[in-house]
Amino acid sequence: MTSLASRYLGLELRSPLVPSASPLSRELDDIKTMEDCGAGAIVLYSLFEEQIRNDTAAFYAHKDQGSLSHGEATDYLPEPDSYAIGPHEYLDHIAAAKSAIDIPLIASLNADHVGTWVEYADLCARAGADALELNIYKLAMDPTESGTEVEQEYVDIVREVAKSTSLPVTVKIGPYFSSLGHTSRKLVSAGAAGLVLFNRFYQPDIDLEELEVVPDLKLSNPYESRLAMRWIALLCGRVDCSLAATTGVQSGHDALKLIAAGADVILLASELIRHGIDRLAAIESEMVTWLEENEYESLDQLRGSMSHRTCPDPSAFERTNYMKALLRYM
Amino acid sequence: MATTDPSRTSETATTRTITLDANEAVARVAYRLNEVIAIYPITPASPMGESVDACSQRGLANLWGDVPSVVEMQSEAGAAGAIHGALQTGALATTFTASQGLLLMLPNMFKIAGELTAGVIHVAARSVATHALSIFGDHSDVMAVRSSGYAMLCATNPQEAQDFALIAQSAGLRGRLPVLHFFDGFRTSHEIRRVEPLDDDTYRALVDPELVEAHRARGLTPDRPVVRGTAQNPDVFFQAREAVSPYYAAFPSVVARAMERFAESTGRRYRLFDYVGHPEAERVVVLMGSGSDTARETIEHLVASGERVGGVIVRLFRPFDTRAFVDAIPKTARHVAVLDRTKEPGAPGEPLYQDVVTALAEEQPRDQRPDVIGGRYGLSSKEFTPAMLTAVFRELERDRPRNHFTVGITDDTSGSSLDWDRGMRIDTDPDVVRAVFFGLGSDGTVGANKQTIKIIGERTGDHVQGYFVYDSKKAGAVTVSHLRFGPRPIRSAYLIEDGTADFVGVHNTRFLERYEVFRHARPGATVLLNSPWEPTEVLARLPRELRQEATVKQLEIWTVDANGIAAEAGLGRRINTVMQACFFELSDVMPKDDALAAIRASIRKTYGKRGDHVVEQNLAALDASIAGLKRVPMETTSNGNAPRSPFVAADAPQFVRDVTAQILAGRGDELPVGAMPVDGTFPTGTARFEKRGIATEVPEWDRDLCIQCAKCAIVCPHAAIRLKVFEPAALENAPTEFESAEFRGSEFRGSDLQDVRTTIQVAPDDCTGCELCVHVCPAKDKSDPRHKAIDMTAVAPRLERERRNFEFFLEIPELDRTVIDPSSVRGSQMLEPLFEFSGACGGCGETPYLKLLTQLFGDRLLVANATGCSSIYGGNLPTTPWTTNAEGRGPAWSNSLFEDAAEFGLGFRLTLDEQRANATRMLQQMSRIVGDELAREILASEQHDEADYREQRVRIAELRARLKAFDSPEARHLDSVAESLVRKSTWVVGGDGWAYDIGFGGLDHALASGRDINILVLDTEVYSNTGGQMSKSTPRAAVAKFAAAGKPNAKKDIGMIAMAHDHVYVAQIAMGASDKQTVRALVEADRYPGPSLIIAYSHCIAHGIHMADGMVHQKLAVDCGHWPLYRYDPSRQDRGENPLQLDSRAPRIRFERFAERESRFHMLTRSHPKTAKRLQAQTQKDIDARWNVLRQMAEMKFDEEKKR
């Protein structure tokens, strides 16, 4: 069988298929299933900066209501003896997951500015994580903040986290930078061992009847993978770090295209949520079948072959291709 | 698997003292010494049950290495039965209770004692409800059970309560008697002091393993079968009853020996009767309980002043050792006063007095006997001070001292009271620091003070005392903390007296207007005020009375903007850290650096569990606190400050001005006996005079945006936002700012009302600012959806305007009830609420139902209210929210007990039915005299709607007018029952603790009676009033007190049980999910001629939710199927229709989506994730199965053939 062996963040993986941060990794049984279905590694669901900061605050705000106010009741909920606040529960989960599987486990922290939560990077390491994915989910909403300042915030976060832990840190970012390549290099300089392209900013919807903004999570589709495909192809070899592709992978073909663009690993969530974890095995099988049918000896043979460095027409990833595409409609 | 409590080990190993209250101290001992513990919540004993339950949940071990079984029962009667059974099968078993709870245990207590079974009941002694319920402390409960055969051992303070818990069990096992160990509710149960804990060596020295084995060996077992609990006949019962006598005769010496062994082990020596005072005292008092500490302190003071006085502190009250008692009194004693903390009306004297008289008569030669008088003191935690005790000693000096006196009150009715010197102070030791803090319930003041006590008690080695006085209100509650610190033991078991406090903390500027916050301060005392004001502003902002007092007392006033600092640090309204830091800075109670280090450590320990961020927030607040502290410059001249506003309006009724206002002003202690109703009867409609002004933001109405749906009014828990519909002429004298809008409805019955207008008005001083109304308001501004027809806006700039508007609003005549359709939401809200401004929590989920009840049927409503939240916010003095309409009609309300509300309400119904039958018969007999036509019309009236009621009232008035012309017994008789011919609406109201648990048998019986009685269960799914203990209504997967690891069993389906009766109207309602169905169900229940049961989902702070979202949570509960809405009307079968109508759709969301929004469920996910997942999955199955059953029931065909 054609080898799917891959390397990501210095870790040796048997496959490039990696379940990405999603609710699927909340259950140990599901994590084991991921391994059984051939996952190369697993990115755990994210621990949010807000969770670290607010999880217990919210709980105790509720618990404290009415306490020590009335003669008949000291308080209204029992004091939990072993209340696992969000972060601690997460660390426990890392430890439990790590002992349940043999493949690398990547913890995930989600944040948008530097804060005390940074210490959790090292706590994740101590709990047994093999690497850390840092999901910088920042909406630059402040009109007085310049693009440079926004980028600097990214760099600062990465630097602080990388400094605080010995784990390799991969950074999940969105595509909205004036110069993505330049930003990527700065992040790598700050300590990023990998980049995950791209974060999807979930777009809320408007409920016209209630005149309310409502959260609305839509699972990704294959077309969305094009953005990552282009940028991986463009960054491949230009930044000194691992590259992970995420968003929109639904089949072995989708995965292979991204590998060809230069991705070291493929992160999947929507497809597994939609059709179940065992889709991993099916996608792997589709990949192997295609590779064997096309007489590839290994995945590495394909990896990066369609990046800007080696593809037959590098301009296809660039502006000229836009013109070509438009002309097709004319 | 049992584990050892590490904290307990470290306490004994390193720190020789701990700070805790008696409840906690006793619970620790009881837990260590028992195998089976049956619990049931009742104030002030609930914390003992909560404590042992928490220990059991944590798997802590008792003395023998096992984890005791802690089981919550359905009532105290159940708890007594359970421990009786456990004891009879050889377990060491205990329980905790108070007041009515103890009375419910009485039958079993006779049995347990009659069977010579050792077991201890720990009682936080509390008043038994008589003319009124009171949660506070006296000995009326324990004295009511003194004939049960239980030995009775009384502790004076938390240290003794801990020690006696062990001595009671030790002696009980040796002497084979059960022991009632009691201490004063609140004054001791809730007073924090420094206590020397017990170590295992002491436990083992006192609890002889052989006696435990002997107890076990007496247990029932099929391996050595016996029968116990036989029925006996006149031939032998008497003799058998006398057979126990030797055990009672021996028991005092058994207790005395246990006390000796205890002294050998701990150095703390107790006797059956401890004497304090002059060895050759001439005047001696006898008493027991917390007053004994005050007596000791006072006697030492008087002896030091050269007086020959003394006191006997009674420890073992039953069996009463007359010889030991007499031996305890100095031979020189000539005058004895016995102080009882109870009242036994009609008796020749109170219990302790009678025992003393008997003991002296039996043990002392006549010529050596001192004179004895008896008196009452301290009922329901009435203060008992050195001055009062001194008054008793002064009385003993008189030639003919008054017997059966009272002290601590002014009895202008019977003249029983002793006067006392109100200016006398002995608590003046300059080494003692006395501090009083006025806080808001929600600001963390009490918690901070408890921490302060701990810090000082454990770091300085000083003796400490903390006692906390709470409000009757739940929203905007005020707390007053009384703290003492000093190098010597503190025995002042009374509040810090006026003019003695070294430090006064005023944690909210609102208190300045309402309370005499400087009264406790001694001259030169330090005052710390939390205010946003500049120091130079403070004096000018004080009411005249406070300004003058500050000047006269030369107070040193400091101010700090604690709210600003706390908000800046992200702590919201929790100002505890700021105020605590400032207290240590100003009070010199310990070196400042040590204090700061201790606070830091305390913050880390207290908040560490809450996350680093919370710790940092508190540390930031701490750092900013001292810098924010500013001294107020004192000016000697007054600048003409305005005096404090009167507590009630000048036009309030006389009773309100003379009595209610005094209580509101904190001067209730000064009211004489003659000011009080003799039978506990009070006028309604008094809450409206208590203008509390606790909200900083209140709703503001946008008449142009409003769609007049009335949802804001129906959900308001406090009737503080109201809708009125009126004719334009009503606006003639309206204030210029009064707003109204054209009424958009036309649902008036048979009326030619035209150009009708409407107003939605807020009561600015009565609103709690809960925001429930804003959250349900559906009318949004299309261009700015943040703006709704109701927005919360700052009250201060609008206060005077809204006051004028609300006053005018109240003057607008109510719309004629007969033209309103009450079965619609808006129609119901056009009716006047006769339940207003209660003391319930802000955002309460219960009170909207009660208010609606009064709108629909208030002028013909009788309410039998089970004890619980609803009886407290409904009937706790000083005011009541139940009120009357312009005609003087309104709900008549009473609370009997916790357990008997259904039977009590059934009693109402029986009377009404009887009187109606009586009146009907009399009217038929007298129809010719009063007029055939009138009689016929009265008797034929079916009374279905408001028009019928009005017409019938007119007829009854006419009937009574005609009857006046006849001076005959028959006419007077008919006149006295004539009003029963207007149909009354009888409602039994209570929470789920009552309906599902303690009162379920009665509820079931009332339903089975078939009578026209309506039962409203305000279902919060926990015992809310006592602090959120599990009831059988608590859902599976929820955590609650007594179910910290999640309730494993499903919620009892009381609706289905009621439906099984077949003749009961049953409805399950949730206002937040369907206000329309709620209104409809209540109207139908009233009209239904038989029994009705309405189960109303009531969100509660015990759910761990943001209360402003309460109605959203109600909707979620319905949407997920946890709370299906339905109405079951048996009368529909008569029309060939299915009696069950489902009013909510099939579950639309998973249970977990609901559960994740409420801390009661979410907490389990955090603390026991696997259990939470399993229980929630099971709950989902429960929901699916129940919905399936309901659906199938609702789909059954009831055709013509099936007509009954």
Side-chain angles (χ1 to χ4, degrees):
Chain A
M1 190 179 104
T2 309
S3 166
L4 296 181
S6 303
R7 281 159 306 285
Y8 183 51
L9 309 173
L11 305 168
E12 297 294 335
L13 315 184
R14 63 164 294 280
S15 156
L17 297 179
V18 176
S20 65
S22 83
L24 287 177
S25 52
R26 284 186 178 274
E27 302 298 332
L28 269 191
D29 288 347
D30 289 338
I31 289 174
K32 286 182 203 161
T33 307
M34 290 172 188
E35 183 179 39
D36 294 343
C37 290
I42 295 167
V43 184
L44 275 187
Y45 67 90
S46 294
L47 176 62
F48 284 74
E49 173 191 346
E50 291 82 355
Q51 219 175 335
I52 295 168
R53 201 171 58 229
N54 300 334
D55 186 79
T56 49
F59 168 74
Y60 278 100
H62 290 151
K63 188 186 174 319
D64 286 346
Q65 282 183 116
S67 65
L68 296 173
S69 302
H70 201 258
E72 302 215 55
T74 311
D75 50 22
Y76 293 88
L77 281 165
E79 181 67 36
D81 188 37
S82 58
Y83 182 79
I85 55 174
H88 292 162
E89 183 188 40
Y90 190 76
L91 298 176
D92 291 346
H93 192 57
I94 291 175
K98 187 62 194 165
S99 62
I101 56 173
D102 295 325
I103 55 177
L105 187 71
I106 302 168
S108 172
L109 291 178
N110 188 316
D112 74 350
H113 67 277
V114 175
T116 56
W117 60 268
V118 165
E119 66 183 295
Y120 277 86
D122 190 45
L123 293 174
C124 289
R126 290 191 214 174
D130 297 297
L132 186 72
E133 179 179 287
L134 183 58
N135 185 344
I136 305 181
Y137 192 105
K138 184 177 176 69
L139 286 172
M141 296 177 296
D142 180 356
T144 65
E145 193 180 26
S146 72
T148 309
E149 288 167 320
V150 172
E151 280 185 20
Q152 191 57 45
E153 181 89 48
Y154 273 72
V155 171
D156 290 345
I157 293 173
V158 173
R159 183 175 294 117
E160 289 301 315
V161 171
K163 202 164 64 182
S164 72
T165 179
S166 56
L167 292 180
V169 177
T170 184
V171 184
K172 191 169 183 177
I173 55 173
Y176 307 114
F177 291 97
S178 304
S179 172
L180 188 67
H182 182 253
T183 304
S184 301
R185 290 171 70 106
K186 280 173 74 176
L187 294 177
V188 172
S189 300
L195 292 174
V196 181
L197 308 179
F198 285 112
N199 221 335
R200 293 171 80 220
F201 291 100
Y202 293 116
Q203 311 298 357
D205 199 2
I206 287 175
D207 181 333
L208 277 178
E209 296 302 319
E210 298 293 330
L211 290 182
E212 284 176 359
V213 178
V214 290
D216 182 36
L217 174 60
K218 293 271 188 264
L219 298 176
S220 64
N221 61 60
Y223 183 77
E224 292 178 74
S225 70
R226 303 280 181 86
L227 189 64
M229 192 190 299
R230 168 205 294 239
W231 281 105
I232 287 170
L234 290 172
L235 291 177
C236 181
R238 287 173 166 162
V239 287
D240 184 18
C241 70
S242 299
L243 293 172
T246 183
T247 303
V249 176
Q250 290 186 359
S251 67
H253 278 111
D254 295 340
L256 289 167
K257 287 178 195 174
L258 288 160
I259 298 282
D264 294 299
V265 290
I266 308 298
L267 303 184
L268 307 99
S270 292
E271 180 66 4
L272 306 186
I273 291 171
R274 199 181 280 122
H275 296 298
I277 295 169
D278 52 7
R279 267 299 285 161
L280 267 179
I283 292 172
E284 180 182 321
S285 169
E286 288 163 17
M287 289 171 73
V288 171
T289 303
W290 187 89
L291 289 169
E292 287 180 354
E293 281 175 0
N294 292 279
E295 299 176 353
Y296 279 84
E297 292 169 5
S298 72
L299 195 61
D300 281 344
Q301 212 177 343
L302 176 70
R303 199 182 312 273
S305 60
M306 296 297 289
S307 73
H308 74 100
R309 289 181 306 184
T310 51
C311 75
D313 178 11
S315 69
F317 286 115
E318 298 162 7
R319 182 178 166 81
T320 51
N321 202 39
Y322 168 59
M323 293 304 297
K324 287 180 191 168
L326 282 181
L327 286 172
R328 270 212 293 267
Y329 283 96
M330 292 174 120
Chain B
M1 185 70 186
T3 57
T4 304
D5 181 358
S7 63
R8 195 186 53 75
T9 308
S10 66
E11 281 156 14
T12 52
T14 56
T15 57
R16 291 304 304 162
T17 60
I18 48 179
T19 52
L20 74 187
D21 63 24
N23 273 340
E24 181 63 24
V26 169
R28 288 175 174 220
V29 178
Y31 188 81
R32 291 284 284 161
L33 293 179
N34 285 283
E35 297 162 315
V36 173
I37 307 178
I39 54 177
Y40 191 75
I42 185 165
T43 308
S46 306
M48 289 188 277
E50 291 171 15
S51 177
V52 295
D53 184 63
C55 289
S56 177
Q57 297 285 355
R58 289 164 62 195
L60 302 184
N62 63 14
L63 191 60
W64 300 277
D66 301 313
V67 179
S69 291
V70 179
V71 58
E72 184 193 7
M73 297 303 297
Q74 89 287 7
S75 70
E76 291 88 350
I83 62 161
H84 185 194
L87 291 167
Q88 284 305 317
T89 39
L92 297 170
T94 191
T95 186
F96 318 98
T97 194
S99 191
Q100 321 295 142
L102 184 61
L103 301 197
L104 283 176
M105 292 185 176
L106 186 55
N108 262 297
M109 292 171 68
F110 276 96
K111 294 287 295 177
I112 292 167
E115 293 159 348
L116 286 180
T117 313
V120 182
I121 298 177
H122 302 276
V123 176
R126 162 183 160 180
S127 307
V128 169
T130 47
H131 61 289
L133 169 150
S134 174
I135 59 171
F136 294 101
D138 65 36
H139 299 164
S140 56
D141 55 359
V142 293
M143 288 303 153
V145 303
R146 68 186 189 279
S147 65
S148 65
Y150 263 63
M152 294 170 68
L153 189 63
C154 180
T156 296
N157 53 45
Q159 177 74 63
E160 290 183 15
Q162 172 201 261
D163 296 349
F164 286 11
L166 172 57
I167 290 169
Q169 187 127 345
S170 168
L173 283 167
R174 187 168 297 280
R176 287 196 61 184
L177 289 193
V179 183
L180 190 157
H181 165 226
F182 70 99
F183 44 91
D184 289 355
F186 281 105
R187 185 67 251 182
T188 306
S189 67
H190 283 58
E191 179 182 311
I192 298 177
R193 286 207 203 177
R194 213 180 72 172
V195 168
E196 290 180 32
L198 300 171
D199 57 27
D200 278 3
D201 290 343
T202 305
Y203 281 116
R204 295 191 196 288
L206 270 285
V207 181
D208 187 338
E210 288 182 13
L211 296 175
V212 175
E213 286 156 23
H215 170 79
R216 202 169 285 140
R218 287 191 291 272
L220 294 170
T221 168
D223 296 327
R224 294 180 301 283
V226 292
V227 292
R228 199 177 285 149
T230 55
Q232 297 180 352
N233 299 325
D235 54 350
V236 300
F237 182 95
F238 193 172
Q239 303 91 302
R241 191 74 187 100
E242 293 297 325
V244 300
S245 297
Y247 290 87
Y248 284 87
F251 199 70
S253 54
V254 172
V255 175
R257 278 210 302 280
M259 287 174 162
E260 281 165 22
R261 276 202 304 282
F262 185 84
E264 287 162 12
S265 184
T266 65
R268 293 191 293 281
R269 185 169 298 281
Y270 304 106
R271 296 175 186 82
L272 301 184
F273 301 94
D274 271 314
Y275 177 77
V276 293
H278 197 288
E280 295 178 346
E282 293 172 353
R283 287 165 288 147
V284 172
V285 294
V286 181
L287 75 172
M288 56 185 164
S290 61
S292 310
D293 261 2
T294 303
R296 177 181 292 213
E297 180 191 40
T298 309
I299 288 164
E300 285 170 357
H301 171 80
L302 294 175
V303 169
S305 312
E307 300 205 34
R308 291 160 73 118
V309 296
V312 175
I313 301 168
V314 178
R315 312 296 197 179
L316 185 68
F317 175 68
R318 284 286 179 274
F320 197 94
D321 188 332
T322 53
R323 187 67 250 163
F325 171 75
V326 169
D327 288 347
I329 299 182
K331 297 288 176 275
T332 49
R334 302 315 317 149
H335 310 284
V336 171
V338 185
L339 290 163
D340 272 280
R341 200 162 197 158
T342 186
K343 179 175 174 66
E344 194 166 310
E350 270 62 39
L352 184 57
Y353 165 79
Q354 292 199 50
D355 284 10
V356 168
V357 169
T358 304
L360 289 169
E362 289 187 355
E363 301 292 345
Q364 287 279 70
R366 187 184 297 265
D367 58 347
Q368 294 173 23
R369 260 180 238 158
D371 301 328
V372 184
I373 59 171
R376 297 177 293 279
Y377 75 105
L379 264 60
S380 182
S381 291
K382 172 68 75 187
E383 279 289 274
F384 181 60
T385 63
M388 293 171 193
L389 190 79
T390 304
V392 175
F393 281 121
R394 297 280 169 267
E395 188 69 16
L396 286 176
E397 286 178 323
R398 291 169 44 144
D399 290 341
R400 299 183 62 190
R402 203 171 336 182
N403 200 355
H404 310 303
F405 61 83
T406 56
V407 65
I409 57 169
T410 302
D411 180 2
D412 58 346
T413 300
S414 306
S416 69
S417 54
L418 307 184
D419 199 10
W420 74 95
D421 177 0
R422 285 163 171 79
M424 177 185 168
R425 301 284 181 268
I426 67 167
D427 175 28
T428 53
D429 181 348
D431 291 340
V432 174
V433 174
R434 299 166 196 83
V436 177
F437 302 83
F438 293 82
L440 271 180
S442 53
D443 68 9
T445 295
V446 172
N449 286 330
K450 288 187 172 181
Q451 287 299 331
T452 296
I453 293 164
K454 235 177 174 38
I455 288 170
I456 295 172
E458 294 176 3
R459 294 212 172 213
T460 67
D462 271 359
H463 288 269
V464 296
Q465 180 198 47
Y467 187 75
F468 307 94
V469 178
Y470 298 101
D471 206 327
S472 305
K473 309 290 185 209
K474 301 199 176 195
V478 180
T479 62
V480 187
S481 309
H482 295 254
L483 274 55
R484 287 185 177 95
F485 313 104
R488 289 172 285 282
I490 293 165
R491 301 196 186 283
S492 312
Y494 48 90
L495 302 177
I496 289 170
E497 295 179 284
D498 290 358
T500 63
D502 304 282
F503 184 95
V504 175
V506 184
H507 291 194
N508 192 297
T509 51
R510 182 159 65 86
F511 303 149
L512 298 172
E513 180 60 32
R514 294 191 63 83
Y515 303 107
E516 297 173 15
V517 290
F518 296 163
R519 64 188 279 186
H520 301 90
R522 64 163 170 75
T526 302
V527 172
L528 171 61
L529 173 66
N530 166 29
S531 83
W533 305 325
E534 286 302 315
T536 49
E537 286 181 83
V538 170
L539 279 191
R541 287 181 175 269
L542 297 180
R544 181 182 298 164
E545 296 86 346
L546 287 183
R547 168 108 192 227
Q548 286 170 349
E549 195 173 358
T551 305
V552 170
K553 288 184 171 175
Q554 295 185 302
L555 301 178
E556 181 184 317
I557 303 177
W558 293 75
T559 182
V560 63
D561 181 10
N563 289 81
I565 294 171
E568 179 73 19
L571 295 172
R573 283 181 286 184
R574 308 286 291 184
I575 58 168
N576 49 342
T577 296
V578 180
M579 299 308 280
Q580 185 185 30
C582 292
F583 164 72
F584 276 108
E585 175 70 16
L586 295 174
S587 66
D588 283 336
V589 70
M590 60 189 281
K592 291 182 175 58
D593 288 345
D594 291 356
L596 276 176
I599 299 173
R600 281 182 212 286
S602 167
I603 286 172
R604 289 197 179 90
K605 186 174 176 188
T606 307
Y607 300 113
K609 201 152 77 159
R610 303 184 175 204
D612 299 337
H613 191 67
V614 181
V615 171
E616 282 166 21
Q617 286 174 327
N618 278 280
L619 291 175
L622 175 65
D623 292 339
S625 302
I626 311 298
L629 203 49
K630 293 169 188 164
R631 182 153 181 189
V632 173
M634 297 297 287
E635 299 159 21
T636 51
T637 54
S638 169
N639 66 351
N641 296 27
R644 189 179 270 138
S645 315
F647 270 82
V648 299
D651 60 349
Q654 189 174 348
F655 183 86
V656 173
R657 279 183 281 126
D658 293 349
V659 178
T660 309
Q662 296 300 307
I663 305 174
L664 289 172
R667 293 193 290 269
D669 283 322
E670 295 164 25
L671 287 169
V673 171
M676 291 287 111
V678 296
D679 58 358
T681 306
F682 282 81
T684 60
T686 45
R688 67 175 60 178
F689 298 107
E690 189 178 8
K691 297 298 178 192
R692 301 204 298 141
I694 59 174
T696 53
E697 289 190 335
V698 299
E700 184 169 16
W701 182 47
D702 182 337
R703 62 180 177 181
D704 298 326
L705 203 52
C706 180
I707 58 169
Q708 301 175 7
C709 64
K711 284 181 181 294
C712 54
I714 198 171
V715 302
C716 178
H718 291 82
I721 184 162
R722 300 184 182 190
L723 174 147
K724 220 172 217 184
V725 176
F726 45 87
E727 294 186 83
L731 293 172
E732 198 174 330
N733 297 315
T736 49
E737 317 94 329
F738 188 81
E739 295 198 75
S740 67
E742 184 186 340
F743 182 60
R744 296 182 181 180
S746 57
E747 60 264 56
F748 302 118
R749 292 169 163 175
S751 166
D752 56 356
L753 286 170
Q754 292 197 344
D755 302 327
V756 186
R757 300 194 69 76
T758 187
T759 291
I760 289 179
Q761 177 64 47
V762 65
D765 290 307
D766 305 296
C767 174
T768 65
C770 75
E771 302 181 22
L772 220 47
C773 55
V774 172
H775 283 238
V776 299
C777 176
K780 295 176 182 171
D781 184 329
K782 288 189 165 47
S783 303
D784 178 8
R786 274 177 299 190
H787 170 45
K788 289 178 158 187
I790 297 283
D791 286 337
M792 295 302 286
T793 61
V795 68
R798 308 197 274 131
L799 185 58
E800 291 306 322
R801 171 166 49 107
E802 294 295 4
R803 277 179 176 164
R804 283 192 297 275
N805 288 344
F806 184 60
E807 202 172 314
F808 176 75
F809 179 89
L810 291 177
E811 287 170 9
I812 297 173
E814 296 291 332
L815 205 59
D816 180 355
R817 290 176 68 90
T818 63
V819 304
I820 298 169
D821 173 12
S823 63
S824 73
V825 171
R826 184 160 62 180
S828 73
Q829 295 313 298
M830 290 183 209
L831 301 169
E832 184 182 13
L834 300 178
F835 181 90
E836 59 184 12
F837 319 139
S838 78
C841 297
C844 174
E846 295 186 356
T847 48
Y849 295 112
L850 292 175
K851 187 189 61 171
L852 179 58
L853 210 58
T854 68
Q855 289 172 301
L856 297 172
F857 328 116
D859 59 356
R860 53 189 183 86
L861 177 64
L862 277 102
V863 177
N865 208 135
T867 307
C869 273
S870 53
S871 74
I872 298 302
Y873 59 63
N876 204 127
L877 289 191
T879 61
T880 179
W882 302 95
T883 189
T884 57
N885 62 17
E887 296 168 336
R889 290 196 176 88
W893 178 94
S894 186
N895 158 243
S896 173
L897 298 170
F898 189 16
E899 62 269 27
D900 74 341
E903 298 94 315
F904 187 53
L906 181 62
F908 288 7
R909 186 75 256 166
L910 295 175
T911 297
L912 293 170
D913 289 352
E914 189 63 21
Q915 287 181 347
R916 187 182 173 86
N918 201 331
T920 302
R921 179 178 55 79
M922 297 288 293
L923 186 56
Q924 285 166 341
Q925 284 175 8
M926 299 180 72
S927 64
R928 284 195 184 165
I929 298 171
V930 299
D932 283 334
E933 190 178 344
L934 177 63
R936 196 167 46 250
E937 284 177 357
I938 289 173
L939 294 173
S941 171
E942 294 194 351
Q943 302 182 59
H944 284 313
D945 60 24
E946 290 294 332
D948 295 342
Y949 293 119
R950 168 167 297 184
E951 286 163 10
Q952 184 75 338
R953 283 199 182 108
V954 170
R955 291 186 204 109
I956 298 301
E958 175 62 22
L959 170 66
R960 297 187 70 182
R962 291 184 190 181
L963 285 169
K964 286 202 188 323
F966 306 99
D967 185 21
S968 69
E970 292 79 12
R972 286 195 295 274
H973 186 160
L974 177 55
D975 183 56
S976 71
V977 293
E979 286 180 341
S980 68
L981 292 166
V982 178
R983 186 168 176 255
K984 305 294 189 294
S985 195
T986 308
W987 285 80
V988 179
V989 170
D992 47 284
W994 158 69
Y996 288 67
D997 290 353
I998 196 169
F1000 178 69
L1003 181 143
D1004 185 62
H1005 199 82
L1007 294 179
S1009 74
R1011 298 278 184 157
D1012 185 11
I1013 184 172
N1014 307 296
I1015 297 176
L1016 174 62
V1017 180
L1018 301 165
D1019 196 340
T1020 61
E1021 306 190 321
V1022 280
Y1023 288 79
S1024 299
N1025 192 50
T1026 46
Q1029 293 84 4
M1030 172 180 68
S1031 77
K1032 282 201 282 295
S1033 173
T1034 303
R1036 197 200 297 274
V1039 298
K1041 306 262 182 76
F1042 304 164
K1047 182 162 178 263
N1049 302 321
K1051 175 188 173 81
K1052 177 160 107 177
D1053 193 341
I1054 202 171
M1056 202 61 97
I1057 293 170
M1059 281 187 243
H1061 280 290
D1062 195 41
H1063 61 268
V1064 179
Y1065 178 93
V1066 187
Q1068 190 152 282
I1069 63 177
M1071 186 181 281
S1074 174
D1075 43 15
K1076 192 174 169 187
Q1077 188 249 8
T1078 294
V1079 174
R1080 188 177 291 175
L1082 292 177
V1083 169
E1084 287 179 0
D1086 171 64
R1087 287 183 184 160
Y1088 184 71
S1092 307
L1093 175 69
I1094 307 285
I1095 313 152
Y1097 187 89
S1098 307
H1099 62 260
C1100 177
I1101 55 172
H1103 294 178
I1105 60 170
H1106 182 39
M1107 290 293 276
D1109 292 328
M1111 293 298 168
V1112 174
H1113 287 263
Q1114 293 204 13
K1115 187 167 185 309
L1116 286 170
V1118 172
D1119 285 349
C1120 76
H1122 169 61
W1123 196 268
L1125 303 181
Y1126 59 79
R1127 286 167 295 140
Y1128 180 90
D1129 182 351
S1131 67
R1132 286 169 56 89
Q1133 294 175 71
D1134 300 338
R1135 302 190 292 273
E1137 296 170 334
N1138 189 318
L1140 180 66
Q1141 300 172 87
L1142 289 178
D1143 295 323
S1144 58
R1145 288 186 281 177
R1148 282 184 286 173
I1149 58 172
R1150 305 282 296 169
F1151 173 73
E1152 63 193 57
R1153 294 283 85 79
F1154 164 60
E1156 69 192 12
R1157 299 279 296 268
E1158 305 206 341
S1159 292
R1160 58 176 170 155
F1161 299 110
H1162 186 59
M1163 212 171 135
L1164 191 66
T1165 307
R1166 288 274 180 248
S1167 60
H1168 300 82
K1170 284 184 183 165
T1171 308
K1173 190 176 176 192
R1174 178 173 52 79
L1175 293 178
Q1176 288 194 13
Q1178 185 59 44
T1179 305
Q1180 186 64 56
K1181 285 184 186 168
D1182 299 340
I1183 286 172
D1184 295 342
R1186 189 172 60 241
W1187 179 259
N1188 201 22
V1189 169
L1190 285 172
R1191 185 181 53 76
Q1192 290 185 52
M1193 282 173 65
E1195 286 173 355
M1196 285 169 64
K1197 297 292 179 207
F1198 282 72
D1199 52 24
E1200 287 296 312
E1201 285 71 34
K1202 288 185 181 170
K1203 274 189 181 181
R1204 298 193 298 189

